[in-house]
Structures are given as structure tokens and as C-alpha cells.
Amino acid sequence: MEFLPARVDTNRIQPASRKTPVPVAAIETRQISKTFGSGDREVRALDHVSLEIRENEFFTLLGPSGCGKTTLLRLIAGFEAPTSGQLLLYGDDISNEPPYRRSVNTVFQSYALFPHLTVAQNIAFGLEMLGKPKAEISRTVDEMLAMVRMEAMAHRKTSEISGGQQQRVALARALAPHPKVLLLDEPLSALDLKLRKEMQRELKRLQIETGITFVFVTHDQEEALTMSDRIAVMSAGKPLQIGTPREIYDRPANRFVASFIGESNFLSATITAATGDVARVRIGGGIDMEAALPAEAPRSGKVTVAIRPEQVRLVEADAADALPATVTDTVYFGTDTHTHLLLDSGETVVARFQSTLAHSEERANGTRVGVQFWEGSVQVLRETA
Ligand SMILES: Nc1ncnc2c1ncn2[C@@H]1O[C@H](COP(=O)(O)OP(=O)(O)O)[C@@H](O)[C@H]1O
Ligand SMILES: [Mg+2]
């Protein structure tokens, strides 16, 4: 009789002397679903959402209007209860804790300041509700005023300060009780572009300075890319991909992520070989390249690949290893130029070139060119259609 060694589950081996325990997530959602209404009018706002937000992280929920971002924040804050699933704060199940028992604060899109109170009184309000001693409140208010650079405005009524200043007060008020987690629901959307950019950097600074875990909601992809440690891209109540800004932009796993964040060219391709997370693909019936292969993507047959417009290179029309194409349109954007191309295969490609005065990639409509893609820029998508 043959002796078969028992299977060893390496995930379960815990060295006795392990010095750095696996850090517990600041927030963990386990299979959280939330439905509103019932019958014909049932809306599934969240659909089995499982994610982990790490301590000290600037974590962003990014997605179009109605995808469930606010609902997820309201669940974390305790303003709504999940229909099913669990919510953990530092490993403790808080699914049934009321909002005031959670070390979580929220900054709303509308700021929700008290207009008849001064800046300092607004910041002190939450601390007074918590019954903090007067001396501590006054010290914390001063500290918060300095942090958001509003010392000079301490005694102004909040109805008498600008939108950007109100935003700072709302932030100071939410940070004053030193919550473990700060939830921010599209806090910059009411500000004009220039102020919004300024506040983006300010928020990032505050997060680094305080070390508080930020869960930030936005529908603005640029805001998400520039501020976040990690992003969860959501659609229809589900996170479709979670990763660093670079992972999300360079390695979008599906068509929604590839087109919601930045722009992408989608081309049909055939996988000719696959090893681990790399595939060999034949694109547009003409060129063979290596491509990144995400988990759960097909490993053979017909697939769709995504390629960013800035990864497209134009060469001579008769060059080897290039897809023959015709220039159909050129659009000048100031910082860069988009060249629209029709491949001989019938598919279209957009190429983006940075504008420089010294060199122009512009070509007249009708020009015949060869299309190539930079090494490492080809991404296989999970769905084939
Ligand atoms: N209180 C509610 N009653 C009924 N439907 C709701 C309620 N809150 C949110 N919804 C629905 O749930 C979905 C997700 O909404 P929401 O979380 O506000 O999305 P987002 O913040 O991403 O725009 C939407 O279809 C919305 O209409
Ligand atoms: Mg919302």
C-alpha cells in the first residue's frame, strides 16, 4: 500500500516566534448587502461587499452616481444597518453598535455647520457633546484651528466665511474628537476647480499628519488617483477592483475600470500562451506581444485587451511588427494631441501624444501609418465581449 503524505496547508502554519503579527484591518466588511424598498421597488444598493481598509490608509471609494458609495459610508458610520453581512472595526463586530459608540466621524458634502455659531464654537460642539473638560476642549480647538490654518477666523460666524473655509471648519470639527476613522462623502464637490485642487493637497496633508484612517468618497477619477493609497472602483453596488492608483490605472482588470479611470483602447486579441500572470497575445490579427493576465481572466482563445492611448506609437506604414492603419482625425487639447486611427482590420485606436514645441506627432488625415504599443502596456481583460 502506498503512503501518501498529508496535504500541508501552508496558510495555516504560524511560526511560534512571529514578530510582526498580521495587522488587523481598521475596517472590514464581510459580504455586506443593503437593499432598500421591497418587491418591484427593491433597490440593491450594496451587493455582497467584502473589503478591508487598513489602519492609516487613505482609502477611496470611486464610482459613478448611484453605485452605492454613500450607502457604504452610512453603514460604516452606523446611520444605516446592513440587510446582511458583518462590519468590523479593528476586529470587533460593530454591526449592531449605534453611531455614537463607533470611533468614526463623517464629513458631509453639505458641511452641515451651525451658521449661528462661530468657527471655534462649531469645532467645540462635538467635544462638548462628549462631555470633555473645558480646558481640554479649548486646547483641542486651538490645535484644530492651527491644523486647518483657520486661527485668524476663530471668532467669525460660519455664515460669514467662504466655501473653502467652511470646508476646513467641517474637517476640523470632524477631526477634533480624534476618531479612529474619518469618513468623507464627496467633501470637495461643492468647491470650484482651483480651490478643490488646493483642498485635495490639504486633505492629504491632514491625513498624513493625523495618521487617521480616511475613507474618502468621490466620483472624480483624477481626485481618486492623486490622493489615495488604495482605491476601490465600484459599480452597481460592488467593488470591481481594489488596488493602488498605479495598479488600477496600469492594470485595469475589466472594461468598466479601464474606461471609468482614464481612457482605453479595446482591441480583440487571441491568447497563444499563458504562464502565471503573463500571456502571449496576437493583437488585431497582426502583432504578437506579452500582456498582463489578471486572475479570473480567460487563459486561452479570444479575449479583449486594453491599451492606454499614451502607450500607442506610430511608425512607418510598412514597418514589420506594426498594425497598418490610416489617420482619420486629430484633436488638439493643448497639453496633448489625440490621433484617431482606423486599423485595416476595422478596429479603431486613439493615440495620445504630449505636445512639445520641438517635435510634432501630428499627421494629416488619410496618412498611412503603422501602429505599435509600448512594451508592458497590454492588459488582458476579464470579460471577452
Ligand atoms: N434611503 C434610500 N431609499 C431608497 N433607495 C436608496 C436610499 N438610499 C440610496 N438608495 C439607492 O441606492 C443606490 C445607491 O445609492 P448611493 O449609495 O447614494 O449611491 P452613490 O453615493 O454612489 O451615488 C441608488 O440606486 C439609490 O437610489
Ligand atoms: Mg453619494
Side-chain angles (χ1 to χ4, degrees), residues 138-318:
S138 138
R139 199 168 357 102
T140 308
V141 168
D142 287 347
E143 184 194 328
M144 291 299 136
L145 284 168
M147 190 184 276
V148 298
R149 299 177 179 152
M150 287 288 289
E151 297 103 316
M153 305 268 163
H155 304 296
R156 288 263 195 104
K157 292 226 173 74
T158 52
S159 54
E160 294 161 3
I161 59 177
S162 73
Q165 290 164 343
Q166 288 179 23
Q167 179 63 82
R168 283 166 199 269
V169 178
L171 272 167
R173 187 179 61 175
L175 287 167
H178 298 292
K180 286 186 176 149
V181 176
L182 189 67
L183 309 175
L184 304 109
D185 195 355
E186 312 223 17
L188 309 182
S189 59
L191 305 178
D192 65 50
L193 184 65
K194 193 159 174 287
L195 194 54
R196 193 155 78 226
K197 299 248 176 220
E198 194 184 309
M199 283 304 293
Q200 286 173 5
R201 296 180 44 208
E202 188 82 334
L203 262 182
K204 185 78 191 165
R205 175 184 68 82
L206 282 174
Q207 193 267 328
I208 292 168
E209 263 178 31
T210 59
I212 292 173
T213 305
F214 275 31
V215 186
F216 182 83
V217 162
T218 183
H219 61 266
D220 181 319
Q221 44 121 353
E222 186 189 293
E223 197 159 277
L225 288 176
T226 55
M227 297 171 76
S228 319
D229 293 317
R230 287 193 307 149
I231 300 170
V233 184
M234 291 182 59
S235 170
K238 262 184 195 301
L240 293 186
Q241 191 172 354
I242 300 174
T244 64
R246 270 175 202 279
E247 284 163 356
I248 297 282
Y249 187 80
D250 291 341
R251 298 280 163 249
N254 54 57
R255 192 180 270 262
F256 179 86
V257 175
S259 47
F260 190 74
I261 293 140
E263 288 162 43
S264 280
N265 293 297
F266 298 107
L267 292 172
S268 61
T270 308
I271 295 185
T272 54
T275 328
D277 54 6
V278 180
R280 190 90 194 145
V281 291
R282 167 152 289 209
I283 305 169
I287 53 174
D288 292 294
M289 288 191 76
E290 276 201 348
L293 186 61
E296 297 161 45
R299 303 184 68 81
S300 63
K302 286 206 179 304
V303 289
T304 301
V305 294
I307 301 158
R308 299 293 187 185
E310 63 272 24
Q311 304 291 351
V312 178
R313 186 164 50 164
L314 301 185
V315 294
E316 294 298 317
D318 53 2

Side-chain angles (χ1 to χ4, degrees), residues 52-66:
E52 287 191 21
I53 300 173
R54 299 171 192 147
E55 180 159 41
N56 288 355
E57 195 167 38
F58 197 119
F59 190 92
T60 297
L61 302 172
L62 171 67
S65 177

Side-chain angles (χ1 to χ4, degrees), residues 9-26:
D9 182 352
T10 47
N11 291 327
R12 301 191 58 178
I13 297 178
Q14 299 271 336
S17 64
R18 190 203 276 272
K19 289 221 173 64
T20 43
V22 178
V24 56

Side-chain angles (χ1 to χ4, degrees), residues 34 36-37 41 43-46 63-72 74 80 185-186 217 234:
K34 176 71 182 175
F36 292 105
R41 308 188 58 182
V43 178
R44 174 157 287 205
L46 295 174
S65 177
C67 73
K69 305 179 298 293
T70 295
T71 302
L72 186 53
R74 290 176 57 79
E80 300 278 0
D185 195 355
E186 312 223 17
V217 162
M234 291 182 59

